[in-house]
Amino acid sequence: MATLPRRVTVVGAGVIGLSCAWRLVGAGHRVTVVTDRAPAQTTSAVAAALWYPYLAFPPERVGAWAARTYAVLSDLASAGRDGDTAVRLLRGRELLAAPTPDPPWAVAVPDLRRLHAFELAGHPDGWGFTAPVVDMPRYLEWLLRRVLAAGVRLEHREVAHLSEEAGRCDVLVNCAGLAARELAGDPSLLAVRGQVVLLENPGLREWVLDETDPTAMTYVVPRVDTVVCGGTAEPGAEGLEPDPVVAARILANARALIPQLEGAAVVGHRVGLRPARPTVRLERVPGRDGAVIHCYGHGGAGVTLSWGCAQDVLALVESLR
């Protein structure tokens, strides 16, 4: 028997919220997205957005979500003209600090391989593979246009209590990111501050991750017009002002890794707060005023897990009696 269309409210308009909204409206549900900030002002807009399951747990669930998202983003990259969806498939290298077994997400990546010695730049180990790279400001604009065109309503307002919103719909989907700490009363949710520097792109078409220092991973991720250089991972830090000392270190590390960046002009600085948690919370809980589905705590992998999690949210909605 077909599932009846339901009135669904999605709280949050970052990449997780918009992906859930698209999946839900595509299945025939009546969807409203409620947000206190535009997609371009969310943490998602700051992300370098290289497909990579970073700071997200547990591995077995993350691997399945990441694999699903890899497939969807690959299709988006192939379907659109360059720049239409702001998703490209780019080759790259991950440089490791020690010999490491294959990652749990290896099955999602068709061309994962061990790097040859000449590709390691002095590192003990590393992988090479092709991954989706998403230009987040453009992608969020594209995603928002798609969901609005499909009939999703967008309401710009603050949500004070989830219970109030749940009373106005059949199902509430909580995709509030770090704000779920207060909305869901979840003290396990922790901000992990990330800072990046944007440079003009001198023609790079390959990404590089250097994990020699896990507290200050160096990464260089090219977009069409810019290059995102990072970065930091500061648990518990919530300041949003870029630190010039940190920016100088990021630039020095990125240029040492990729000398081609030496003459590239700085075009901006960004800071985002990753919503980290011991495990991603994706579950349905009963409520006095209606069902609530929580979907938050994606750490540094919101883009990487977005379509896999959205598919599971849809399945939870449609399993309601």
Side-chain angles (χ1 to χ4, degrees):
M1 184 173 65
T3 303
L4 292 174
R6 297 187 182 276
R7 296 172 302 137
V8 184
T9 295
V10 176
V11 178
V15 70
I16 297 294
L18 291 180
S19 300
C20 289
W22 193 359
R23 278 287 178 258
L24 290 162
V25 75
H29 299 287
R30 299 191 294 274
V31 182
T32 300
V33 173
V34 179
T35 179
D36 64 349
R37 63 186 67 183
Q41 298 172 322
T42 64
T43 295
S44 297
V46 180
L50 166 70
W51 179 97
Y52 186 84
Y54 175 63
L55 204 63
F57 312 96
E60 61 276 9
R61 295 192 78 189
V62 164
W65 291 326
R68 173 63 180 163
T69 304
Y70 188 104
V72 174
L73 291 177
S74 296
D75 288 345
L76 289 176
S78 301
R81 296 185 300 275
D82 194 26
D84 277 3
T85 62
V87 183
R88 296 185 299 163
L89 292 174
L90 299 181
R91 292 191 303 272
R93 294 175 294 149
E94 181 176 9
L95 306 173
L96 303 170
T100 305
D102 285 352
W105 44 264
V107 293
V109 182
D111 64 347
L112 184 75
R113 64 181 180 84
R114 294 278 165 175
L115 294 176
H116 299 292
F118 70 89
E119 299 173 290
L120 288 171
H123 292 71
D125 201 1
W127 299 305
F129 58 97
T130 301
V133 174
V134 185
D135 186 328
M136 286 308 292
R138 293 165 130 183
Y139 180 70
L140 290 169
E141 288 179 8
W142 175 82
L143 197 51
L144 181 61
R145 288 197 303 271
R146 292 297 296 264
V147 299
L148 293 178
V152 172
R153 291 179 54 204
L154 182 66
E155 296 183 5
H156 287 279
R157 57 184 173 81
E158 187 173 351
V159 173
H161 303 285
L162 292 182
S163 59
E164 292 179 5
E165 294 298 327
R168 301 187 181 109
C169 60
D170 299 320
V171 189
L172 179 73
V173 183
N174 173 21
C175 302
L178 192 60
R181 184 171 51 190
E182 287 75 33
L183 287 175
D186 187 347
S188 72
L189 198 55
L190 178 71
V192 179
R193 185 180 184 275
Q195 179 171 331
V196 299
V197 180
L198 301 180
L199 301 179
E200 288 183 347
N201 191 347
L204 297 185
R205 290 189 61 87
E206 294 191 0
W207 53 265
V208 182
L209 304 178
D210 183 347
E211 294 198 47
T212 304
D213 181 355
T215 65
M217 182 192 299
T218 297
Y219 52 87
V220 174
V221 180
R223 294 174 175 172
V224 175
D225 302 318
T226 60
V227 179
V228 183
C229 300
T232 64
E234 305 169 73
E238 300 196 18
L240 291 174
E241 284 298 316
D243 183 329
V245 174
V246 171
R249 174 185 59 75
I250 290 171
L251 274 177
N253 290 345
R255 287 169 170 163
L257 190 63
I258 307 293
Q260 191 178 350
L261 294 174
E262 192 60 47
V266 174
V267 296
H269 300 267
R270 301 288 186 272
V271 173
L273 304 179
R274 305 176 181 97
R277 195 174 182 273
T279 62
V280 175
R281 188 179 187 190
L282 203 168
E283 63 176 346
R284 186 178 68 221
V285 297
R288 185 177 65 249
D289 301 308
V292 176
I293 296 172
H294 294 289
C295 185
Y296 65 84
H298 298 85
V303 176
T304 301
L305 307 183
S306 56
W307 290 111
C309 288
Q311 193 66 35
D312 279 8
V313 166
L314 173 61
L316 287 174
V317 169
E318 301 208 323
S319 67
L320 285 166
R321 298 293 180 186

